[in-house]
Amino acid sequence: MSDSDVSNPFARPATHTTPPVPADAPYYDLPRAIRIIETTQTVITALIFAFIFRAFLVEPFIIPTGSMAHALLGAHATCVCPACGWQFDFAPYAMAEPTGHGFVTPDEIICPNCQLRIKPDPTEIYPEAGDRILVHKWGYALGGPFKPRRWEVIVFRDPANPDQHYIKRLVGLPGETLEIIDGDLFVDGHIARKPPAVQRVMWMIVFDQDRFPRPDQATGRLPRWIAIEPLTDAWTGLQTRALSHRATTDTPHTIFFNPDTGRDYLLDLSGYNARSTGVFIGDARLVGEITLDADRAGHFQCELVRPPYRFVGALTQAGVATLRMFDIANPDAPGVLLAESQLRHPLRAGCPLAIELSHVDFRVGFRVGNEIELTSTDAQYSPDVATLRSAPGQRPLGFTITAAGLDLTLRHLRIDRDVHYTRSPHTRRADVGRPFTLEADEYFVLGDNSSDSHDSREWSVVGPHLPPSYRPGTVRANQIVGEAAFVYLPALLPVGSSHTWVVPDLGRVRFVR
């Protein structure tokens, strides 16, 4: 038997070379009918996958109205204030299409920073479409640990019209009792606090010292921050971006925010709505950045007054941070120490340090740089629901800044406010003294733009698609489309003299919080 008669399974297969195709060889093509069929199959398959993707996974929507402003925008326009340079969005005078068509420019808009009343020129206003968002459905469809949670932004079918979709923030879950007291949400008699990621998007401007209005403007004649001791010159630069304190002695020198420079400061003002509700806000924060100009012993403190208490965050040059609470009715009583901590290093000249004092959802916080974050506890400070029901906040918040013995510069000084859930003549439920209890499979929603949001507090019309057992003001689980997840195409920027909207404002592409 020769070797060629044996089949070796480990032998290397012979290499086959494909002969070259002659240049004059005839070109073979599929029949045209077969190509059309294959193309049609490909298109149909793609459409099937697209419909499955849209029906069960992700669906795009465009926001029509401003009920979720400023976090999410409907059809709107943008203005740059000629006095302070603050850029802000505002809504049309009347309802416009989500694409911005039919936008009617209001007769007057208000800068939320310096409160300049502006009469916009319609020829210089370029409407923008609402934010385009992606809504994912699969999480809610699975249920269990993926079921809707408080403070998520959801898209659902309008209880009055199943063909219309709304977008709101979910605040109430099945079985809970809700009550809105003095602008805050209470669930089962307890304050409902927002997660930090949600709170960040709900802060709105009150005043930014970096955008101080020009002195020649009607609203810019007085500084927003005023020295309590007008005869001293320890604090300077009150009408500039950088405020300075020079210590000739160890005597403390104080400045305070003067709300009288604008009729709506510390009220529920919205530049988007171009109006104020006239209601005092209850939650706000004071932020800034201090830099020592010399290594001297002394202390710096900021104070937030929310009657009946005042809260003081203090920082010494040695790096000791404290947070205290004082009773306004007993000025001689010692303050209650809420928290205390120590920086790793003392304050050093030339090293900027961020500070923040906040009161939000009946939690007081004092943050120093990235090292210290002091907060109150419920045992130290919590709302008295009975007192709030009988006497909601009637006085504005107050802000003061004090320095003693330090040469320092204060930059990026700003006051922000939280969303204030307001009462309107159309409010029907969950109002103070009228708690609303959700039943099984029912949810409650509110808009971030509370003073201009048609939401669970007001609904009265019920569409024929809902069963007789449906209760107005609620969102049934089977009416929820999904959670708003991502702004994939925000408003567009104008290009060229024709002002054609062709360039996406990619800086506003973001996750929804």
Side-chain angles (χ1 to χ4, degrees):
M1 181 181 293
S2 64
D3 293 339
S4 60
D5 295 330
V6 178
S7 175
N8 183 0
F10 303 102
R12 186 176 182 136
T15 302
H16 298 281
T17 304
T18 302
V21 178
D24 57 349
Y27 176 72
Y28 177 78
D29 193 9
L30 289 173
R32 183 177 180 183
I34 296 178
R35 285 188 284 119
I36 292 175
I37 292 174
E38 289 185 345
T39 302
T40 303
Q41 289 175 336
T42 302
V43 172
I44 292 176
T45 302
L47 289 174
I48 291 174
F49 277 112
F51 283 126
I52 293 174
F53 189 81
R54 179 187 175 103
F56 298 102
L57 298 178
V58 175
E59 184 173 355
F61 286 91
I62 181 171
I63 299 177
T65 67
S67 66
M68 284 295 294
H70 299 266
L72 297 168
L73 302 176
H76 65 284
T78 303
C79 175
V80 177
C81 177
C84 67
W86 187 266
Q87 179 175 302
F88 62 97
D89 303 309
F90 63 92
Y93 175 76
M95 185 73 174
E97 296 181 20
T99 57
H101 296 293
F103 189 97
V104 179
T105 304
D107 294 333
E108 181 181 81
I109 56 178
I110 303 174
C111 172
N113 181 59
C114 72
Q115 297 194 10
L116 179 71
R117 264 58 181 176
I118 304 169
K119 295 189 179 299
D121 183 354
T123 62
E124 296 296 328
I125 296 299
Y126 308 104
E128 305 179 39
D131 288 334
R132 293 169 173 83
I133 60 173
L134 293 178
V135 176
H136 69 70
K137 306 177 178 182
W138 60 270
Y140 289 171
L142 292 176
F146 303 100
K147 61 185 178 182
R149 294 173 293 180
R150 191 182 342 274
W151 304 119
E152 290 180 339
V153 179
I154 65 171
V155 172
F156 56 95
R157 295 177 184 86
D158 177 8
N161 180 6
D163 296 327
Q164 175 70 43
H165 292 85
Y166 279 168
I167 180 169
K168 310 287 182 188
R169 195 174 295 278
L170 191 151
V171 300
L173 306 176
E176 295 180 337
T177 298
L178 310 179
E179 187 176 4
I180 298 172
I181 308 174
D182 199 17
D184 288 320
L185 175 69
F186 286 76
V187 177
D188 297 333
H190 302 283
I191 186 73
R193 294 191 173 97
K194 297 177 283 294
V198 174
Q199 186 61 61
R200 281 193 292 270
V201 303
M202 297 181 79
W203 287 119
M204 291 178 284
I205 187 68
V206 173
F207 179 68
D208 188 346
Q209 189 73 18
D210 283 349
R211 295 291 187 272
F212 195 90
R214 290 162 35 194
D216 60 338
Q217 294 290 338
T219 61
R221 295 174 181 172
L222 292 175
R224 269 53 175 173
W225 291 92
I226 297 179
I228 290 181
E229 309 90 348
L231 298 181
T232 66
D233 57 356
W235 282 100
T236 58
L238 299 182
Q239 300 193 62
T240 67
R241 295 181 179 180
L243 286 68
S244 298
H245 179 267
R246 295 295 175 261
T248 55
T249 65
D250 291 337
T251 302
H253 301 98
T254 302
I255 57 176
F256 73 96
F257 182 74
N258 180 20
D260 294 336
T261 54
R263 65 188 184 190
D264 290 323
Y265 277 131
L266 305 180
L267 296 179
D268 183 27
L269 169 70
S270 170
Y272 192 88
N273 302 334
R275 67 177 182 276
S276 166
T277 63
V279 176
F280 289 119
I281 59 174
D283 291 330
R285 67 175 179 176
L286 174 67
V287 298
E289 180 187 88
I290 60 172
T291 305
L292 295 189
D293 299 321
D295 291 324
R296 296 184 54 182
H299 76 275
F300 170 90
Q301 72 179 41
C302 46
E303 177 180 298
L304 188 156
V305 178
R306 189 186 196 274
Y309 301 107
R310 60 186 184 94
F311 304 93
V312 178
L315 180 65
T316 68
Q317 190 273 336
V320 178
T322 57
L323 178 62
R324 287 183 167 86
M325 178 176 69
F326 297 84
D327 188 345
I328 297 176
N330 300 294
D332 297 329
V336 177
L337 180 64
L338 302 178
E340 182 177 10
S341 187
Q342 170 75 54
L343 289 169
R344 290 194 296 267
H345 304 286
L347 275 65
R348 298 172 181 172
C351 297
L353 191 65
I355 56 99
E356 176 182 323
L357 178 64
S358 63
H359 181 291
V360 59
D361 298 334
F362 284 91
R363 180 62 55 81
V364 184
F366 182 50
R367 183 176 61 84
V368 181
N370 295 320
E371 293 186 38
I372 293 178
E373 187 166 359
L374 308 178
T375 58
S376 63
T377 65
D378 288 339
Q380 296 168 330
Y381 175 62
S382 59
D384 184 340
V385 177
T387 301
L388 287 174
R389 285 196 184 110
S390 60
Q394 298 296 325
R395 290 187 289 173
L397 300 178
F399 300 90
T400 65
I401 296 173
T402 301
L406 297 177
D407 292 342
L408 60 84
T409 301
L410 179 58
R411 296 183 175 87
H412 310 308
L413 185 58
R414 193 179 74 249
I415 297 174
D416 298 327
R417 72 171 181 90
D418 187 22
V419 168
H420 191 92
Y421 292 115
T422 55
R423 185 185 187 282
S424 76
H426 306 291
T427 300
R428 298 173 180 270
R429 56 192 68 89
D431 193 17
V432 57
R434 295 189 295 174
F436 184 75
T437 300
L438 295 167
E439 297 178 356
D441 206 38
E442 291 181 343
Y443 296 88
F444 200 90
V445 295
L446 296 173
D448 288 359
N449 187 6
S450 180
S451 60
D452 195 21
S453 173
H454 185 53
D455 50 39
S456 286
R457 299 168 297 175
E458 303 179 355
W459 293 334
S460 59
V461 180
V462 179
H465 63 293
L466 293 174
S469 60
Y470 170 79
R471 295 195 305 155
T474 65
V475 176
R476 291 286 187 93
N478 59 7
Q479 298 300 304
I480 298 177
V481 176
E483 179 187 2
F486 190 71
V487 180
Y488 71 94
L489 184 59
L492 303 180
L493 295 173
V495 172
S497 58
S498 64
H499 300 288
T500 303
W501 302 91
V502 294
V503 180
D505 188 357
L506 298 180
R508 298 175 78 167
V509 172
R510 62 202 182 275
F511 288 99
V512 177
R513 293 288 184 260

